[in-house]
Amino acid sequence: MSARRLLQLVLLVQASAALGIALAAIRWFDAGPWAAAALGCGSVALVRLLINMNNFVLAAFFASPTPPEFRLNPLRALHLLAEEFRASMVYTSWTMPWAREGLRVHAGSAAVPVLLVHGYGCNSGYWAHLLPRLDRARISHATVDLLPVTADIEHYVAQVERAAEALRSATGAAQIAIVAHSMGGLVTRAWLRRHGSARVLRVLTLGTPHFGTGLANFGLGVNAAQMRWKGGMPCDWLRQLDADEDAPRRALFTSIFSHHDNIISPQTSSLLPGARNLAFGGIGHVALGRNPRILDAVMRELAALKTGDPLPA
């Protein structure tokens, strides 16, 4: 099943639940229409908030120590939760249920084309906040929808290969850059292992569990099993992926991550030896795709490829 269809079903279930609660409030408590509607929608939103909060609780069991400079006061911690909740609601209720992979070419642009690879349970709608920035910078780009949702990560390699070649063919570029979120970074590494890195100038990963995450122990699918961090170490698939990479391959990567990621835990799992690692704080996992600080960092990295300047400090 595709993430788009799955999320449409989730929306249908949520709408049915909200309607049922509203009708019950009218029938049993003589609530007015507006009060009943607010109760129905509010109940669904509360469940979604509790799910988000539970992710933070689970992540705390596997968390790596937070460096002193990234520690949060209560107000900033509340902002972290609110931003993550808002991001998850926007993505799962608005951008991803209707998204389809696409290709946008800016004729005559000197910028390196970018392939966008989403993460677990998502689709190309995850990039809704980055795409306008790419367009303003006249950066040609393509998105890929990884199917099905719970497949083996190796299964997605052919889909990335197809999308990468379509982007290169449409733009005439010899090399592309890749921006990947979460599991998408592992898919990209698996693709590079199979097809080599001659066609890739740079890979930016956002919140990728390069060495696994404890929350994958609760996930469904072959891909979740391949992202597991258990007993203080990554699973066999991740260890083999690590062993198959050399220094030149790792030097292609910039790993952008948050010390407060609520899905990738331990958060230092995103630290990739030999890569350029950029640490942030106060940002949740889903919010990485729309947080202005993260998007600014992505655009700076891509701009350096266009100009040939050294990567920003």
Side-chain angles (χ1 to χ4, degrees):
M1 179 181 289
S2 70
R4 180 176 61 253
R5 181 57 57 86
L6 180 61
L7 288 170
Q8 289 172 351
L9 290 175
V10 170
L11 283 178
L12 180 61
V13 170
Q14 290 179 165
S16 299
L19 179 60
I21 293 170
L23 292 176
I26 292 173
R27 181 176 179 179
W28 296 335
F29 302 105
D30 198 27
W34 288 109
L39 180 62
C41 294
S43 298
V44 171
L46 178 60
V47 171
R48 294 292 305 273
L49 176 60
L50 291 174
I51 292 172
N52 265 261
M53 295 175 69
N54 183 63
N55 288 339
F56 280 101
V57 171
L58 289 176
F61 284 101
F62 307 97
S64 49
T66 303
E69 64 270 26
F70 290 103
R71 290 174 187 166
L72 304 179
N73 60 38
L75 184 60
R76 291 186 63 197
L78 184 60
H79 180 271
L80 162 67
L81 174 61
E83 182 186 38
E84 182 70 1
F85 173 64
R86 183 169 59 250
S88 66
M89 291 295 286
V90 168
Y91 281 130
T92 60
S93 302
W94 184 252
T95 65
M96 291 196 296
W98 324 112
R100 294 182 183 274
E101 61 183 24
L103 172 65
R104 179 70 179 273
V105 176
H106 291 277
S109 174
V112 177
V114 175
L115 176 63
L116 303 167
V117 185
H118 65 78
Y120 179 81
C122 297
N123 63 15
S124 54
Y126 183 76
W127 304 110
H129 302 278
L130 178 59
L131 294 181
R133 289 185 176 228
L134 296 177
D135 283 329
R136 287 195 294 271
R138 302 194 73 251
I139 297 176
S140 299
H141 54 269
T143 58
V144 58
D145 287 344
L146 304 176
L147 300 170
V149 171
T150 57
D152 188 318
I153 288 176
E154 301 287 353
H155 176 78
Y156 301 133
V157 168
Q159 298 171 43
V160 173
E161 173 69 9
R162 170 185 56 79
E165 281 303 287
L167 179 60
R168 290 202 322 126
S169 176
T171 60
Q175 291 183 304
I176 63 171
I178 294 178
V179 179
H181 176 246
S182 194
M183 182 192 73
L186 300 178
V187 175
T188 301
R189 289 173 62 192
W191 173 68
L192 289 169
R193 176 169 62 179
R194 188 180 304 179
H195 293 280
S197 54
R199 295 170 292 168
V200 178
L201 189 59
R202 197 75 186 162
V203 178
L204 311 181
T205 63
L206 312 181
T208 289
H210 290 297
F211 296 95
T213 171
L215 273 74
N217 299 324
F218 308 100
L220 301 176
V222 179
N223 48 6
Q226 291 170 311
M227 293 186 285
R228 286 177 181 161
W229 186 88
K230 197 170 185 178
M233 62 188 306
C235 66
D236 291 344
W237 188 86
L238 287 168
R239 290 201 299 271
Q240 187 60 56
L241 184 65
D242 177 54
D244 289 340
E245 292 175 338
D246 57 15
R249 177 74 51 78
R250 286 290 177 83
L252 292 174
F253 282 80
T254 296
S255 178
I256 300 172
F257 71 99
S258 171
H259 280 292
H260 298 98
D261 197 304
N262 56 312
I263 299 295
I264 309 308
S265 186
Q267 291 73 23
T268 51
S269 173
S270 291
L271 280 169
L272 190 60
R276 172 175 162 79
N277 293 285
L278 300 180
F280 289 80
I283 306 169
H285 185 72
V286 177
L288 290 169
R290 69 194 302 266
N291 181 275
R293 289 188 288 152
I294 299 297
L295 297 182
D296 287 347
V298 169
M299 296 306 296
R300 285 194 298 268
E301 298 284 310
L302 295 177
L305 301 181
K306 176 181 176 181
T307 63
D309 292 338
L311 292 172

